[in-house]
Amino acid sequence: MYCFILLLQAFECLLQLCEARATFEEFCIPLCMLPATISNNVPGTDLSIGADTALNAIVETCDRIKQSASGTKRRVFIIETMGGYCGYLASVGGLAAGADAAYIFEEPFDIRDLQSNVEHLTEKMKTSIQRGLVLRNENSSENYTTDFIYQLYSEEGRGVFDCRKNVLGHMQQGGAPSPFDRNFGTKISAKAMQWISKKLKETYRQGRVFANTEDTCCLLGMRRRALIFQPVVQLKEDTDFVHRIPKEQWWLKLRPLMKILAKYKTSYDVSDSGQLEHIVRNRPKESEGAAI
């Protein structure tokens, strides 16, 4: 038996092992993957082990940075987060920390969006809350880098507000796991071992284990608060392997809330505006009888 506890590379590895079963019988054993990455970019699961811990680190750092500016008026902070091409950390972290904007790869932006954000912050500085917070995912844009955004905000906000930038880097990967991640890791590991034990008994024939069906090579993920075993071959079509992100991501619908809380003139009806063109809206099929 094999149980992978890794990031998206493990998903690709599991796909290769599953496809190699036709050639190598040694791979005809129960295979299971547990998603564990701070980027939360694994298909087939709403959350991955480690994402909550990294999110807590980002929010705590943002809170400290905002608190450090409590005695300084008219200041905007540009903060870069990790996550690869997945904007989960920047989006959900920005929502929790009260950010004015969060730039991510899944929602393309241009110079007009940056101009709109600068104008919004300019108006904000006329109110009682005279500080701003902007998050940027590390791979949100090839050209609109953190340095570019920092310089643009500094220049356009000259005389109104000043800017500071901060690249969080590997601070997001260290530290003790959050209570949620500890409990999630325990539950998902126990569920995986129960599944592997069950499949070993079901596939044991004539003194050996032989498992070559789709339902014996699965990813165990959380879908709507239920732990679901999903065959990896079924999740292959739901994955953007070039950018290493799922084609459908639930948290994109939360992004309009950030603008509403930042007092932009918008509504929650625009929740699907940030989707990629190739995203398929159909939810992936879930294996029957696998939820708890």
Side-chain angles (χ1 to χ4, degrees):
M1 66 177 181
Y2 278 97
C3 183
F4 295 83
I5 310 178
L6 285 169
L7 43 156
L8 193 64
Q9 287 91 328
F11 178 72
E12 296 181 73
C13 179
L14 201 58
L15 277 173
Q16 295 175 8
L17 290 176
C18 187
E19 294 171 354
R21 281 176 166 180
T23 307
F24 304 98
E25 291 188 2
E26 291 79 3
F27 296 144
C28 293
I29 54 177
L31 300 170
C32 181
M33 173 187 169
L34 307 184
T37 170
I38 68 168
S39 302
N40 197 33
N41 63 336
V42 179
T45 184
D46 293 339
L47 290 171
S48 58
I49 302 172
D52 185 69
T53 301
L55 188 61
N56 286 345
I58 292 172
V59 175
E60 181 181 357
T61 303
C62 289
D63 289 343
R64 289 186 177 185
I65 289 175
K66 290 167 61 178
Q67 186 179 17
S68 70
S70 58
T72 305
K73 294 183 178 181
R74 298 182 179 179
R75 178 163 291 176
V76 176
F77 295 93
I78 313 295
I79 299 177
E80 180 182 300
T81 67
M82 298 180 75
Y85 286 97
C86 182
Y88 172 80
L89 293 177
S91 296
V92 183
L95 179 61
D100 296 280
Y103 303 118
I104 62 172
F105 172 79
E106 292 91 341
E107 188 173 292
F109 59 94
D110 55 24
I111 194 67
R112 290 181 294 271
D113 297 310
L114 296 175
Q115 179 183 1
S116 175
N117 295 144
V118 171
E119 293 173 353
H120 168 76
L121 286 169
T122 301
E123 293 298 317
K124 183 179 180 179
M125 296 302 162
K126 299 177 183 178
T127 67
S128 59
I129 304 177
Q130 298 183 340
R131 62 176 182 270
L133 180 66
V134 176
L135 271 65
R136 177 190 176 274
N137 172 251
E138 59 183 349
N139 289 337
S140 58
S141 174
E142 183 178 357
N143 297 312
Y144 298 126
T145 63
T146 302
D147 288 334
F148 176 89
I149 295 175
Y150 164 72
Q151 293 172 6
L152 176 67
Y153 273 61
S154 298
E155 181 64 29
E156 295 299 321
R158 188 183 299 275
V160 181
F161 59 82
D162 60 350
C163 280
R164 296 292 186 274
K165 67 175 178 178
N166 191 304
V167 179
L168 299 185
H170 288 269
M171 287 179 57
Q172 301 157 84
Q173 294 187 351
S178 67
F180 175 84
D181 272 336
R182 298 183 192 196
N183 292 329
F184 182 36
T186 300
K187 293 177 181 178
I188 203 171
S189 300
K191 185 73 174 177
M193 295 310 300
Q194 290 176 349
W195 179 85
I196 289 176
S197 299
K198 178 183 176 183
K199 291 300 179 182
L200 286 173
K201 294 178 181 179
E202 291 178 353
T203 58
Y204 185 79
R205 302 182 186 89
Q206 299 178 354
R208 61 173 237 171
V209 174
F210 186 80
N212 64 344
T213 57
E214 289 185 0
D215 63 344
T216 58
C217 184
C218 293
L219 177 143
L220 176 55
M222 177 186 288
R223 285 295 182 90
R224 297 182 178 181
R225 300 179 64 182
L227 298 181
I228 308 294
F229 288 97
Q230 300 158 95
V232 292
V233 293
Q234 296 180 11
L235 296 173
K236 184 177 181 180
E237 297 300 322
D238 303 317
T239 308
D240 179 355
F241 287 100
V242 176
H243 300 104
R244 313 181 76 80
I245 56 175
K247 293 180 180 179
E248 181 181 0
Q249 304 193 78
W250 62 272
W251 50 265
L252 285 170
K253 296 181 180 180
L254 300 176
R255 285 183 58 81
L257 290 176
M258 188 191 311
K259 288 190 174 182
I260 292 174
L261 295 175
K263 302 186 184 308
Y264 281 86
K265 294 180 179 180
T266 184
S267 68
Y268 194 62
D269 296 334
V270 297
S271 58
D272 292 329
S273 64
Q275 304 291 329
L276 291 170
E277 294 181 358
H278 66 268
I279 283 183
V280 179
R281 299 302 304 166
N282 295 330
R283 182 172 294 279
K285 295 181 179 180
E286 299 176 350
S287 57
E288 297 181 359
I292 61 170

